[in-house]
Amino acid sequence: MCGIVAAVAQRNIVSILVEGLKRLEYRGYDSCGVAVHQDGALRRARSTSRVAELDALVREDGVQGFTGIAHTRWATHGAPAVHNAHPHFSPSLAQARIALVHNGIIENHEALRAELSAQGYVFESQTDTEVIAHLLDHYYDGDLFAALKQTVQRLRGAYAIAAFCRDEPHRVVGAREGSPLVLGMGEQGGECFLASDAMALAGVTNQIVYLEEGDVVDLQIGKYWVEARQGEAFARIERPVRTVYAHSGAAELGPYRHFMQKEIFEQPRALGDTLQGVEGITPELFGDGAFKVFQQIDSVLILACGTSYYSGCTAKFWLESIAGISTQVEIASEYRYRDSVPNPRTLVVTLSQSGETADTMAALKHARNLGMTNTLTICNVATSSMVRESAMAYITRAGVEIGVASTKAFTTQLAALFLLTLAIAQVRQRLTSEQEAEHLRAMRHLPLALQAVLALEPQVIAWAQDFARQQNALFLGRGMHYPIAQEGALKLKEISYIHAEAYPAGELKHGPLALVDAHMPVVTVAPNDALVDKLKSNMQEVRARGGELYVFADADSRIESEPGIHVIRMPEHYGVLSPILHVVPLQLLAYHTACARGTDVDKPRNLAKSVTVE
């Protein structure tokens, strides 16, 4: 974790490395560093501050070179500190000949550390990464690529690696297993690049090779080759070159304070783009052969983490009530570590903003190994690993999401999942042409409906001033709005650092009601649906205990403001698509509460955007 950039060229590449790190900053990190081959030795600069400070540091120290690597780290093993920051050297700073960066987690690092310590290697960090650098140095005998192949044979876990050697100044090697790594071919003088994301290479090259699991790669001036791991051996292989037009410029904030606010307000556009070209409901929206798959399946299994998990939980209500198909939603990080009952007639749906989430990718592979080969990924990145691993895919068009706390990726996932529901319902003959037309009309109206919801921002700001003084909050919802309450609580936790929990409103009396007092704000998602009267009773339970209610109510739900009950009225009731609208004011509440508390909204502490470790 979290970002890798590497280059071998015939020009000074430090600015390219640093600029690549800047393009990956949105993923979240707590330290950064760069190392180059300079004047026959290894030079390094590391920082626990932002990449801008690293940039200033390398300029001040005159760091430059034709070969180098750079990294942003999200701490797993070892605290965020300079001595734990990448790149790592081996054998030691004074005698260093190996420089290495790594994403992922090495599960057998303790055994390797003990072995290498016994051989005299001195460890300067608490990271699992440093064992790779020392192991690579141990096997080095004049051929860095050969040493890398020996090294990866000893590693258990997930990794994307980039390394170079003092004694081979125009060579960079890399490897991947369970963590993404791409190769880029430059346009000047035969230069070559490695990165954890093609976006890091935007503006440098659009010629990208996506490395596969077990690949190792050797980069030199004007040439490269890839070898695939086959048991204990490696064999030369050709990987296709793709033209990838990543966003090359720095994202602009425009009139917004933070990227999260900008992305909340981009949701009408993102939904419109995601639904662009959907003239009618057809299984082929999800890939060739989808009709046959949808005919054969008798259940759906959704695998996801975090925000994506809550979108899956919402979709469960749609899939079972509209399509009439049994649906299970699993937290991906738990799914593969329990005994489950595989069903080859299940459609396995993975959800991920980045398409690189390690837990979800591992869950997808586990499901496939159990014989469930009908796989579909809903993702915001068309070239991601998860999309390439799945038989079918639907690409949302949220655009680049910079803020760590996901917003527009969530609502576009919901839109894609609703389309999936309609497509399966159609195949199962549970969707009439009149119902299809009505649902499509409602979906096309979503961007306009969201604009009306966003106009509520000034009222939400007033609430945020109250929330900023609190340390705890409860969120309540019923039915398909319970996952929306969960998502609202997650957003508040992520960026304001207020402890927040969500419950189905009917569960209050089964325990959580003990927490309610005048200092516990209770946020309630209150659409005018079949459960609204039950929800009103739950709200009275809160008021009877002195709790303060903050209610997002539909215009016709007959919930009035009074002492202890604060109401913001949604512009309209939107039926089964109501969750897409109701989540937006919850995003705004979290955002403005975080602003009032002065937190780092776009880069909340301890979190990363694309979680590529388990």
Side-chain angles (χ1 to χ4, degrees), residues 90 97-98 121 133-148 150-151 164-169 171 173:
S90 182
R97 63 175 178 177
I98 301 293
Y121 283 95
H134 290 324
L135 202 59
L136 188 58
D137 180 80
H138 169 72
Y139 285 119
Y140 183 70
D141 189 24
D143 185 338
L144 188 62
F145 193 49
L148 178 69
Q150 289 177 283
T151 296
F164 70 97
C165 179
R166 177 196 63 199
D167 300 334
E168 297 182 73
R171 191 180 206 182
V173 298

Side-chain angles (χ1 to χ4, degrees), residues 3 123 180 242 330 487 536:
F123 285 81
R242 306 187 186 191
E330 295 255 11
E487 172 63 9
K536 289 178 182 178

Side-chain angles (χ1 to χ4, degrees), residues 292-372:
K292 183 177 180 181
V293 171
F294 293 175
Q295 275 187 317
Q296 295 172 343
I297 61 172
D298 61 12
S299 62
V300 175
L301 171 63
I302 298 175
L303 302 171
C305 299
T307 286
S308 295
Y309 172 73
Y310 296 136
S311 68
C313 290
T314 306
K316 174 182 172 72
F317 288 89
W318 292 336
L319 286 160
E320 294 197 339
S321 65
I322 298 173
I325 189 165
S326 176
T327 302
Q328 186 175 1
V329 188
E330 295 255 11
I331 296 173
S333 59
E334 292 291 322
Y335 169 67
R336 73 186 183 114
Y337 295 112
R338 70 174 186 85
D339 293 329
S340 57
V341 181
N343 175 8
R345 296 183 65 189
T346 294
L347 174 65
V348 178
V349 181
T350 49
L351 307 174
S352 172
Q353 186 279 138
S354 66
E356 305 294 351
T357 308
D359 287 317
T360 309
M361 174 67 80
L364 168 63
K365 293 178 179 178
H366 178 66
R368 202 169 52 198
N369 290 338
L370 292 176
M372 296 188 287

Side-chain angles (χ1 to χ4, degrees), residues 167-312:
D167 300 334
E168 297 182 73
H170 292 289
R171 191 180 206 182
V172 169
V173 298
R176 74 153 291 188
E177 181 73 52
S179 196
L181 193 66
V182 303
L183 160 70
M185 292 174 293
E187 300 174 357
Q188 298 188 30
E191 58 195 22
C192 294
F193 305 91
L194 286 177
S196 51
D197 188 320
M199 182 181 293
L201 305 180
V204 177
T205 180
N206 58 20
Q207 299 300 294
I208 301 295
V209 175
Y210 288 90
L211 301 176
E212 301 294 337
E213 295 290 275
D215 282 357
V216 290
V217 60
D218 189 349
L219 278 61
Q220 299 183 38
I221 297 293
K223 58 185 178 181
Y224 74 90
W225 51 89
V226 179
E227 294 187 13
R229 187 171 178 175
Q230 298 176 352
E232 298 299 312
F234 290 85
R236 183 78 177 268
I237 193 167
E238 296 292 329
R239 298 292 185 206
V241 179
R242 306 187 186 191
T243 301
V244 177
Y245 295 103
H247 180 62
S248 60
E252 298 293 337
L253 268 175
Y256 301 100
R257 244 179 110 181
H258 299 93
F259 283 107
M260 182 179 178
Q261 185 187 30
K262 178 174 184 275
E263 287 152 12
I264 290 171
F265 277 81
E266 284 177 340
Q267 286 175 112
R269 189 274 309 158
L271 279 168
D273 289 351
T274 295
L275 300 173
Q276 185 178 10
V278 179
E279 300 298 330
I281 301 302
T282 170
E284 279 67 33
L285 288 169
F286 299 90
D288 296 337
F291 178 79
K292 183 177 180 181
V293 171
F294 293 175
Q295 275 187 317
Q296 295 172 343
I297 61 172
D298 61 12
S299 62
V300 175
L301 171 63
I302 298 175
L303 302 171
C305 299
T307 286
S308 295
Y309 172 73
Y310 296 136
S311 68

Side-chain angles (χ1 to χ4, degrees), residues 477-478 503-510 538 541:
R478 297 204 70 146
Y503 291 92
E507 283 294 294
L508 264 182
K509 56 186 173 291
H510 297 293
N538 304 139
E541 295 169 358

Side-chain angles (χ1 to χ4, degrees), residues 425-454:
Q426 183 188 76
V427 172
R428 294 169 68 87
Q429 299 182 342
R430 291 178 57 96
L431 187 70
T432 67
S433 57
E434 291 80 10
Q435 290 170 327
E436 176 183 333
E438 181 59 31
H439 285 311
L440 283 173
R441 277 194 296 272
M443 295 194 79
R444 292 188 184 113
H445 182 60
L446 275 173
L448 189 61
L450 273 180
Q451 293 283 11
V453 175
L454 290 167

